[in-house]
Amino acid sequence: MHGYLGIDVGSVTTKLVLLSEEGELLWGTYRKTLGQPIRVLQAALAKLHKELSPSIHGVGVTGSGRGLAAHLIGADIVKNEITAHAISAIKHHYNVQTIIEIGGQDSKLIIIRDNVVVDFSMNTVCAAGTGSFLEHQASRLGMGIDEFGKSALHATAPVRIAGRCTVFAESDMIHKQQMGHNLEDIIAGLCDALVRNYLNNLARGKEMREPILFQGGVAANPGIKVAFERELKKEIIIPRHFSLMGAIGASLLALEMKPRKTKFKGFKVFSHHLTSSSFYCDGCPNNCGVIEIKDGEEVIARWGDNCGKWSSLEETILK
């Protein structure tokens, strides 16, 4: 078996997929990054090797940790999340006009016209409405995240929650609990508040035409989907592989590229003892922060410098 590997390393979750020559999903995994992206990547690769032992013909990476993944695994193409999610959404729904993407720690709105990204906005500063905040609230209430999302569907009179900030939202939820509102109405109110927050921050001045795709881990929360539909009065479509869309997009880009010889470093990567560290270069006033990955005592990758002083050493190191 052979295929194209797609990797999406986020701050909260890491996703790997393998696509066939025809672009069909052969294998995929979605797992918590747990602040240890190297170990998680190695574990995911080990699982893929154990289950399929595929021959890799190309690798595409995306996500906030794409630089790390590209150096660690060996990537043929590295793209930002906007491009990766758009490519994947267009593959899933050819006429898609709008993409709502909410992940573990950030959220995005992507506007597409005639299969081209014409506008986008991102919220990487405020965690209100992202997956990590919802999981925290579910945990605080002693519920699993699946139960939390479904509970919102049983609300009869959603309460008004201040959702512009995680601190205010949590305080308001506790206040509403102390007033005696039932849990389903509070959770539905939180979903409504987070959707209003998303639209106020990301959608200002942007026309959200249908079809609208909702992807990213938070798309698993039916309460948020219903809140979007209630606020926009439009149908929200959730793709089958909503949580893997970024990785699928990265893999599709590698498939389209069809490199003559892939830069993939091989599955041996998962068996090595890899560590990362960083230092600041004092060679000029930029004081770039340089990331360094070691295999035992051997430096195998460096990046983060603007001038190439340290990353150019990588080519020598890897020879």
Side-chain angles (χ1 to χ4, degrees):
M1 176 183 291
H2 67 269
Y4 292 82
L5 188 61
I7 302 172
D8 179 0
V9 181
S11 54
V12 177
T13 58
T14 295
K15 290 77 69 179
L16 267 74
V17 302
L18 182 73
L19 296 191
S20 70
E21 197 76 42
E22 293 74 33
E24 300 302 318
L25 183 66
L26 299 174
W27 181 90
T29 183
Y30 175 97
R31 52 185 66 201
K32 299 283 187 185
T33 302
L34 300 173
Q36 303 180 79
I38 294 176
R39 289 188 182 179
V40 171
L41 273 171
Q42 288 179 303
L45 280 174
K47 187 170 190 287
L48 172 59
H49 185 256
K50 181 180 180 181
E51 294 181 0
L52 299 181
S53 297
S55 172
I56 302 299
H57 286 195
V59 180
V61 300
T62 188
S64 58
R66 57 185 179 271
L68 171 66
H71 284 81
L72 182 64
I73 308 296
D76 299 295
I77 185 166
V78 182
K79 283 291 181 181
N80 61 60
E81 301 104 299
I82 300 294
T83 302
H85 277 279
I87 291 290
S88 185
I90 292 167
K91 163 80 173 176
H92 175 83
H93 199 301
Y94 188 72
N95 295 318
V96 61
Q97 302 278 296
T98 307
I99 301 170
I100 296 169
E101 198 281 331
I102 306 180
Q105 200 64 42
D106 63 17
S107 49
K108 310 172 193 68
L109 172 63
I110 306 170
I111 304 298
I112 295 176
R113 300 290 182 264
D114 299 322
N115 291 331
V116 175
V117 175
V118 296
D119 199 1
F120 70 91
S121 51
M122 293 181 65
N123 181 6
T124 59
V125 177
C126 178
T130 61
S132 57
F133 176 66
L134 291 171
E135 283 198 14
H136 171 69
Q137 294 309 315
S139 174
R140 189 180 63 80
L141 296 172
M143 306 170 73
I145 189 65
D146 292 341
E147 183 188 2
F148 183 82
K150 291 173 184 173
S151 292
L153 304 181
H154 300 294
T156 54
V159 299
R160 186 87 177 178
I161 299 287
R164 294 186 65 83
C165 166
T166 56
V167 177
F168 291 153
E170 183 168 315
S171 298
D172 211 13
M173 286 179 69
I174 293 171
H175 176 61
K176 294 297 191 301
Q177 286 176 264
Q178 292 168 339
M179 289 176 66
H181 291 281
N182 72 54
L183 204 53
E184 290 81 3
D185 289 342
I186 293 173
I187 293 173
L190 177 65
C191 292
D192 287 340
L194 299 184
V195 166
R196 285 197 305 273
N197 185 37
Y198 175 95
L199 296 175
N200 288 334
N201 285 327
L202 299 182
R204 282 183 295 183
K206 294 180 173 56
E207 185 183 5
M208 298 178 67
R209 294 182 192 169
E210 296 178 275
I212 302 173
L213 264 60
F214 183 16
Q215 47 200 54
V218 174
N221 185 318
I224 296 289
K225 175 182 182 288
V226 169
F228 268 119
E229 291 180 328
R230 192 160 46 223
E231 193 72 25
L232 294 171
K233 296 181 174 52
K234 295 176 179 175
E235 181 187 8
I236 301 295
I237 301 168
I238 298 181
R240 180 181 175 191
H241 304 297
F242 59 88
S243 62
L244 302 174
M245 294 295 272
I248 291 174
S251 182
L252 286 170
L253 287 164
L255 173 58
E256 182 181 334
M257 183 183 183
K258 288 189 183 299
R260 287 186 177 180
K261 183 179 180 183
T262 180
K263 296 179 181 175
F264 181 56
K265 295 179 181 177
F267 286 102
K268 64 181 184 299
V269 170
F270 69 73
S271 61
H272 289 207
H273 178 65
L274 303 177
T275 57
S276 67
S277 60
S278 63
F279 63 89
Y280 287 95
C281 174
D282 58 3
C284 79
N286 285 331
N287 293 123
C288 297
V290 181
I291 309 297
E292 187 174 82
I293 297 181
K294 287 185 176 179
D295 182 356
E297 293 300 318
E298 181 186 6
V299 178
I300 63 168
R302 286 191 181 118
W303 72 94
D305 49 337
N306 291 331
C307 67
K309 174 182 176 181
W310 297 99
S311 52
S312 62
L313 295 178
E314 180 187 340
E315 299 300 324
T316 305
I317 291 165
L318 294 175
K319 282 179 180 177

